[in-house]
Amino acid sequence: MRAARLITYRQPLELASVSDPKPGEDGVVLCVLACGVCRSDWHAWSGADPDVVLPMIPGHEFCGEVVAVGKRVSRWKVGDRVIAPFILACGHCPDCAQGHQTICADQVVPGFTCDGAFAEYVSVAHADANLSVLPDTMAPEIAAALGCRVTTAWQALVGRAQLQGGEWLAVFGGGGVGISTLLLGKALGARVIVVDIADDKLNYAKTLGADVVVNAATSNAPQAIKDITCGGAHVAIEALGIETTTIAAMKSLRKLGRMVQIGMPAGPHSNMTLPMDALYSGQLAVFGTRGMPSWRYPSLLSLIAGGSVDLSPLVTRHISLSQVSEELAAFDHPTPPGVAVVTDFTH
């Protein structure tokens, strides 16, 4: 099969022909229909993720069609179109039994702990415990965009912050996960503020329904949010993984506010100096989140299928495997609005 492999950190991916994957006993092999390019892939590409052992095929936001099935798989057959979470939980440990698949100690993460989906085919472990049916009405590129950013945003809003209709939601970062949070927050009835330093991203957020946008390069974002909301946001989402925006997100909250760290703090941002006085005096709640358990897929897919949220504006670039390296390198700087999805696996 044709694949894009990470051979050396921060260098273009190598396009090569490699052996087709085979399914494990409890796994399947998918013909990849689409795979998103995510900031988390950039962490792997830049060498910031300690789980990555080179060489590696990155790519963790994918959907596909089943082409091979392991002998212990009972839910899936050849020809099924499915979508996969990026955290493939074992499905039978105590954490999985309690619905906490994202903290499964035996999890597999394509693109990080095993080869991912920047390739024509990908092997998916623990298929019965993780895969969901890809609705016929959902385009593959939209399904691929769900794999990390949208599912993570849904878990952050519903599973962690428990966002309520009418609340003010402040989103720090107008990239893929930030825009996903905006779209889902509006679908849940929240009033949404998007904060970024790039006017093109803020203008894009405004076209997608943001009630207010704030340019943090030209204004004090936390104070602006407190003025707009008469006291602060009920929920703040940090969608970049850097200290500056984490501090600003915490300081933008009203008393008893909730902040969720979606952005992955890596490299120099692994350790942050945070305003604990604001947490103490405001009696704030700060949550971490990573991925989404597979049992939440039906609620999210139902929301999308029912027309409550349109995710099509999220995908702004359809690319080929040969263009992935350019997209990864672009994360070193402010990126254009929307996300890129690989839909051409032949070039």
Side-chain angles (χ1 to χ4, degrees):
M1 69 174 181
R2 188 170 177 79
R5 299 199 305 165
L6 176 59
I7 304 297
T8 304
Y9 293 123
R10 303 194 66 83
Q11 294 299 311
L13 302 183
E14 176 192 81
L15 295 179
S17 293
V18 300
S19 298
D20 292 350
K22 298 184 183 303
E25 289 190 356
D26 71 345
V28 300
V29 172
L30 305 182
C31 174
V32 182
L33 298 176
C35 184
V37 183
C38 174
R39 182 172 289 274
S40 297
D41 296 312
W42 173 78
H43 287 302
W45 176 79
S46 64
D49 194 309
D51 291 332
V52 176
V53 177
L54 302 184
M56 176 70 70
I57 300 173
H60 63 287
E61 296 187 311
F62 60 91
C63 64
E65 181 177 319
V66 177
V67 295
V69 179
K71 65 181 181 181
R72 291 200 285 116
V73 174
S74 60
R75 292 183 58 201
W76 309 106
K77 64 183 185 304
V78 171
D80 287 341
R81 288 175 16 121
V82 296
I83 182 171
F86 73 90
I87 296 174
L88 302 174
C90 74
H92 52 74
C93 69
D95 287 324
C96 286
Q98 293 178 12
H100 304 312
Q101 290 98 328
T102 60
I103 61 170
C104 172
D106 295 320
Q107 64 186 243
V108 178
V109 185
F112 296 89
T113 66
C114 67
D115 282 335
F118 289 153
E120 292 182 273
Y121 300 96
V122 64
S123 179
V124 181
H126 313 316
D128 282 346
N130 292 285
L131 296 181
S132 295
V133 174
L134 177 62
D136 292 336
T137 57
M138 185 175 294
E141 61 268 24
I142 301 301
L146 296 182
C148 175
R149 68 202 94 214
V150 177
T151 54
T152 298
W154 186 243
Q155 172 71 359
L157 294 177
V158 176
R160 303 300 277 161
Q162 298 181 353
L163 180 71
Q164 303 297 309
E167 290 189 317
W168 279 103
L169 168 65
V171 182
F172 285 78
V177 73
I179 292 300
S180 300
T181 305
L182 159 64
L183 295 171
L184 294 174
K186 292 299 295 182
L188 291 168
R191 294 171 288 178
V192 184
I193 302 169
V194 175
V195 182
D196 206 287
I197 59 173
D199 283 332
D200 59 345
K201 288 186 178 178
L202 294 173
N203 292 333
Y204 187 58
K206 194 70 175 175
T207 67
L208 296 180
D211 296 275
V212 183
V213 296
V214 175
N215 190 322
T218 58
S219 64
N220 181 327
Q223 188 57 54
I225 290 170
K226 288 189 173 182
D227 292 342
I228 292 164
T229 61
C230 298
H234 298 86
V235 174
I237 298 292
E238 198 286 337
L240 286 171
I242 64 176
E243 181 174 307
T244 300
T245 43
T246 299
I247 292 172
M250 290 178 65
K251 288 187 172 181
S252 74
L253 292 168
R254 66 180 60 213
K255 292 184 185 299
L256 299 179
R258 297 98 74 197
M259 194 275 278
V260 186
Q261 183 75 33
I262 284 183
M264 176 184 171
H269 301 286
S270 296
N271 295 288
M272 302 181 184
T273 300
L274 301 178
M276 301 306 290
D277 57 337
L279 183 144
Y280 172 79
S281 62
Q283 302 180 57
L284 308 178
V286 177
F287 298 93
T289 198
R290 176 175 172 264
M292 183 183 79
S294 58
W295 60 265
R296 284 202 190 275
Y297 262 91
S299 64
L300 177 58
L301 294 175
S302 177
L303 184 78
I304 298 167
S308 297
V309 58
D310 178 11
L311 295 177
S312 59
L314 185 63
V315 179
T316 56
R317 299 182 298 287
H318 293 220
I319 65 171
S320 65
L321 278 181
S322 62
Q323 295 172 292
V324 172
S325 296
E326 181 181 343
E327 290 287 340
L328 292 173
F331 282 112
D332 281 335
H333 310 284
T335 54
V339 302
V341 175
V342 180
T343 53
D344 180 357
F345 294 88
T346 61
H347 298 91

